[in-house]
Amino acid sequence: MPYFFRYRKIRTKIIAVAFISIFLSVGLSGFSIYLYVNPILSKQIVKDNQTIVVKISQQVSYLMEDTVNYAKGIVVSDQVQTLLKKMSVTQGYDYYVINLQLETILKEHSLLRDKTIVDMVVVDNHNKVLEMNDLYSSYLKEDWYNDFRYNEVYNGVSKRHVVSNHANTSRLDVVTYVMNIYDKQNANVYLGKLLIHLDYHVLVKPMLIDPSLGMKILTFDKDQNVVYAPEDETVDAIPAEIISKPQISEKAMYKDGQYYIMESFPIYQWKLYGIISENKINANMKYINYVLLSIIMICLFIMSIIIYPVVTNVTKPLMKLIRGMRQVSKGELHTHIAVTSGDEIEEVAQVFNKMVEDIKILVDESVFMEKKKRELELKMFMYQINPHFIYNTLNSVIYLARKADAPDIAALTKAFISFLQRTIKTQPETLSSIQDEIKYIEDYTKILTFRYNDRVEVIWDVDESCRAYKIPRMILYPLVENSIFHGLLPVSEKGWIKIRITLEYGALSVSVEDNGVGIHNQQLEKLRDQMSSLSLHEDLDHIGLLNVNNRLKLLYGDTSILNIASVLNEGTRIYFMIPSSLADPSK
């Protein structure tokens, strides 16, 4: 059996084998169909795009040919020829009359093609624009006219530029078709040039195709300048070896994941490229992939309907038993598994339930005995001293101190008596109010003040609303004592202890913080492990802290254990939290 199935569930193994079989059969069939159909569809998509490029080329060619034929008709007209000849030998008023006549003729011709032609103008054989209002003279100094300025033979189209028309002087994007004018009676006599400004947007309109087709159209002039390109494309979109070819011999050339389709415009010397990505072709064929995937999913669904109920009826009782075991392993001893399969698994479940019940009884008894043991130990510790005898003795000390005029001794003894009255009682209560805990800690620190000369400052931060709340009696004393003797006294200068008791997030938060020597990381990790352990610990080095932690565990559970945060040479903070519902005296 393969390693994959070695540690899998029975249901997983059965379902996996069925699904793998379906995937292999259906998947291989679908892949074979895909390999056969994919090349055919790819060729058809490229062919369809070639048809689109040819149609675009035909539309643009028609506009170009129409413009060229229209220009030929104008330059050979008797009126234009006669007026140009007269203007070359006329000056003064007659010159302007003839110029106006020529401009009128050109305007009439422009109106006949107003959707394509923006304007027309004639330049004489000295490159002077024949116009009345001097609108176009400055444009001839621009670089788009460089190829025509001193060339009396070349007829062609300029690159894209901007002009203003006669009607409203608005600026328009145009390409200009330039045709040389010769005397039709003497072909060697050069008369000038006819400039026809064509609306750029009308000319390239056939090149604007739907982006959803997945093809991009780019057009270049004879100098490889971009005539038209989508906004996100430049001349770099076409490899140099393709754009430099006069004609692509193949129907479509493939390079670097792109198909290139080219059509030429001999009259204008333009090249039109259609570019389609192979990824786009594959995306267009995703319908077939969806069909194959749908077939696989349908087969899987049918098999699941057939197989899953059968497998579930066999494995469901076993899975329920496993889940119950996992819950018990996490400490949930109230778990009970109900299995009615009528077979061996039901018998195992019954034995398991009996075993869990026995374990729960043993654990409850163990916790109860441990709790009783701790209470007994505390009582035995407190019963070791006869409070009545101690009080009488200490009162005698106070009497002698007053008689000897020693007020410090009397004050110290009073504080000690008050401390003992709150810590040693014949019937010690399990809980006491926070106010009582504050009082005996104040008495304790007052006693230490006489011994250590005010080296310890106690800072209280207690919410007034918390003072009546109940906490385990003498729970603060070991924490304060630990901070003083292990945190502050090893340092020569004065230190402080901050005791903070507040209500936070539905719990009573108690913390004791000092600015003493702190705890080494290794020792801190050991303490944290002992605090968070599920069992009760005793350690002679930290008996006070561990005793507090064990009492909190017994009374409130693992959520109320001590937490220790310490930075070496900066101080230590010990804190715990008790659910407010368990500390509130009114509940």
Side-chain angles (χ1 to χ4, degrees):
M1 182 178 291
Y3 180 80
F4 173 81
F5 293 100
R6 186 173 298 173
Y7 302 107
R8 304 293 174 178
K9 300 176 183 178
I10 296 176
R11 180 170 59 184
T12 303
K13 293 177 181 179
I14 298 173
I15 295 176
V17 170
F19 275 46
I20 290 172
S21 300
I22 296 170
F23 265 114
L24 288 176
S25 58
V26 178
L28 289 175
S29 300
F31 184 70
S32 300
I33 296 173
Y34 176 82
L35 292 178
Y36 175 77
V37 173
N38 184 61
I40 298 174
L41 293 180
S42 296
K43 291 179 181 179
Q44 185 60 43
I45 291 174
V46 173
K47 187 176 180 180
D48 292 340
N49 282 279
Q50 282 180 297
T51 303
I52 294 173
V53 172
V54 170
K55 289 182 178 180
I56 294 173
S57 173
Q58 289 173 349
Q59 294 180 51
V60 177
S61 294
Y62 171 79
L63 292 174
M64 291 179 173
E65 290 171 4
D66 182 69
T67 302
V68 172
N69 293 331
Y70 199 60
K72 288 179 180 179
I74 295 173
V75 300
V76 299
S77 69
D78 293 335
Q79 285 181 307
V80 173
Q81 291 267 327
T82 302
L83 292 174
L84 284 175
K85 290 175 183 179
K86 287 182 180 181
M87 290 184 73
S88 63
V89 295
T90 303
Q91 295 180 350
Y93 175 77
D94 293 335
Y95 177 88
Y96 289 104
V97 172
I98 296 171
N99 195 352
L100 181 59
Q101 292 176 350
L102 179 61
E103 197 170 80
T104 302
I105 292 171
L106 294 178
K107 186 175 181 180
E108 292 174 353
H109 282 289
S110 297
L111 292 174
L112 294 176
R113 296 289 192 277
D114 59 344
K115 291 184 179 180
T116 306
I117 298 175
V118 173
D119 206 352
M120 295 185 190
V121 66
V122 172
V123 178
D124 67 12
N125 54 5
H126 299 294
N127 279 321
K128 179 183 178 182
V129 180
L130 303 181
E131 57 181 351
M132 295 297 295
N133 53 6
D134 195 25
L135 180 65
Y136 291 115
S137 296
S138 61
Y139 293 130
L140 298 190
K141 298 176 182 179
E142 297 174 358
D143 59 354
W144 66 268
Y145 191 67
N146 290 343
D147 291 340
F148 310 98
R149 186 173 288 111
Y150 302 110
N151 193 331
E152 300 177 359
V153 178
Y154 173 63
N155 298 332
V157 181
S158 73
K159 63 183 180 181
R160 180 182 176 182
H161 62 100
V162 178
V163 299
S164 300
N165 62 12
H166 284 292
N168 52 21
T169 67
S170 61
R171 298 176 65 80
L172 302 171
D173 288 332
V174 299
V175 293
T176 301
Y177 177 72
V178 180
M179 176 174 281
N180 292 290
I181 305 174
Y182 288 91
D183 189 345
K184 64 181 180 181
Q185 295 177 352
N186 185 356
N188 294 322
V189 178
Y190 171 70
L191 299 178
K193 301 179 187 295
L194 173 65
L195 279 60
I196 302 178
H197 299 310
L198 303 173
D199 190 330
Y200 170 80
H201 298 288
V202 174
L203 195 61
V204 302
K205 186 176 180 180
M207 304 176 194
L208 305 176
I209 62 173
D210 188 356
S212 64
L213 295 176
M215 183 171 62
K216 298 176 181 178
I217 298 295
L218 288 86
T219 306
F220 301 86
D221 62 18
K222 63 182 180 62
D223 298 321
Q224 312 304 336
N225 295 315
V226 177
V227 176
Y228 168 77
E231 293 181 357
D232 58 342
E233 294 292 338
T234 63
V235 68
D236 297 330
I238 302 178
E241 58 267 34
I242 292 180
I243 202 171
S244 61
K245 286 188 176 184
Q247 180 67 42
I248 297 178
S249 56
E250 303 88 356
K251 291 183 178 181
M253 184 174 180
Y254 177 83
K255 184 174 180 60
D256 299 332
Q258 304 272 8
Y259 286 95
Y260 299 91
I261 306 166
M262 191 192 83
E263 288 291 329
S264 298
F265 306 98
I267 297 176
Y268 280 17
Q269 297 184 356
W270 285 1
K271 293 180 182 178
L272 185 146
Y273 294 88
I275 306 173
I276 183 168
S277 170
E278 187 177 32
N279 293 333
K280 189 64 178 179
I281 293 176
N282 293 334
N284 291 336
M285 294 189 298
K286 61 185 178 182
Y287 173 77
I288 294 178
N289 298 333
Y290 289 152
V291 172
L292 295 177
L293 182 61
S294 299
I295 294 174
I296 294 174
M297 296 304 294
I298 291 172
C299 292
L300 289 175
F301 179 73
I302 294 174
M303 292 301 296
S304 299
I305 293 175
I306 297 173
I307 295 175
Y308 189 82
V310 177
V311 176
T312 300
N313 288 335
V314 175
T315 60
K316 187 176 180 180
L318 187 59
M319 298 304 296
K320 185 183 291 186
L321 183 61
I322 292 173
R323 286 194 296 270
M325 290 180 178
R326 288 174 179 170
Q327 290 176 341
V328 172
S329 68
K330 295 177 182 178
E332 299 178 12
L333 299 180
H334 60 277
T335 302
H336 180 84
I337 301 173
V339 176
T340 56
S341 59
D343 52 17
E344 293 82 0
I345 297 178
E346 181 177 351
E347 185 177 352
V348 172
Q350 293 173 353
V351 174
F352 174 80
N353 291 333
K354 182 65 171 62
M355 179 186 68
V356 172
E357 291 174 1
D358 294 340
I359 292 174
K360 188 175 186 304
I361 292 172
L362 291 174
V363 170
D364 291 342
E365 289 178 353
S366 177
V367 171
F368 177 79
M369 294 302 296
E370 185 67 22
K371 189 174 181 179
K372 286 294 183 181
K373 177 183 175 183
R374 294 290 177 179
E375 292 177 355
L376 181 60
E377 288 175 352
L378 182 60
K379 288 182 180 180
M380 291 177 66
F381 168 74
M382 293 180 176
Y383 288 154
Q384 290 175 357
I385 303 174
N386 187 332
H388 183 71
F389 173 74
I390 293 175
Y391 296 153
N392 288 338
T393 303
L394 293 176
N395 282 323
S396 298
V397 172
I398 293 173
Y399 170 77
L400 293 175
R402 288 175 177 171
K403 185 176 181 181
D405 194 18
D408 288 344
I409 296 175
L412 172 63
T413 307
K414 282 183 178 180
F416 186 47
I417 292 174
S418 177
F419 176 75
L420 289 178
Q421 285 174 342
R422 286 172 173 78
T423 56
I424 304 176
K425 294 185 178 180
T426 307
Q427 296 295 330
E429 297 92 350
T430 302
L431 302 176
S432 66
S433 69
I434 290 175
Q435 182 62 40
D436 289 342
E437 294 290 296
I438 292 174
K439 185 66 177 68
Y440 85 72
I441 291 296
E442 288 178 342
D443 291 335
Y444 173 67
T445 55
K446 186 175 182 180
I447 294 170
L448 292 181
T449 301
F450 289 98
R451 170 66 180 84
Y452 296 106
N453 298 323
D454 295 326
R455 285 184 57 189
V456 179
E457 179 186 0
V458 179
I459 303 171
W460 292 94
D461 181 9
V462 181
D463 287 355
E464 290 299 323
S465 60
C466 298
R467 289 180 178 269
Y469 276 66
K470 299 286 188 178
I471 59 175
R473 197 164 73 85
M474 293 185 66
I475 202 74
L476 294 179
Y477 169 72
L479 304 182
V480 174
E481 183 184 51
N482 182 77
S483 292
I484 293 173
F485 287 96
H486 298 286
L488 299 181
L489 294 183
V491 182
S492 58
E493 61 267 12
K494 181 179 180 180
W496 52 260
I497 298 175
K498 184 176 183 180
I499 303 173
R500 187 170 187 267
I501 305 176
T502 59
L503 281 174
E504 296 179 2
Y505 307 109
L508 184 69
S509 175
V510 181
S511 68
V512 177
E513 183 179 0
D514 65 70
N515 64 338
V517 297
I519 305 174
H520 288 279
N521 289 335
Q522 185 175 0
Q523 187 179 8
L524 181 62
E525 290 300 323
K526 179 182 177 182
L527 273 174
R528 286 173 174 170
D529 291 340
Q530 290 177 335
M531 300 298 176
S532 60
S533 174
L534 295 177
S535 59
L536 302 177
H537 284 273
E538 291 188 0
D539 188 339
L540 293 178
D541 293 335
H542 307 94
I543 189 168
L545 294 180
L546 293 176
N547 184 276
V548 170
N549 192 64
N550 292 341
R551 290 177 65 193
L552 291 172
K553 279 186 181 180
L554 290 171
L555 290 172
Y556 306 110
D558 292 335
T559 58
S560 297
I561 63 172
L562 287 182
N563 296 277
I564 305 176
S566 182
V567 178
L568 194 62
N569 298 323
E570 292 186 13
T572 302
R573 178 173 177 261
I574 304 176
Y575 59 96
F576 61 89
M577 301 186 78
I578 299 174
S580 59
S581 59
L582 300 179
D584 192 343
S586 64
K587 296 182 180 180

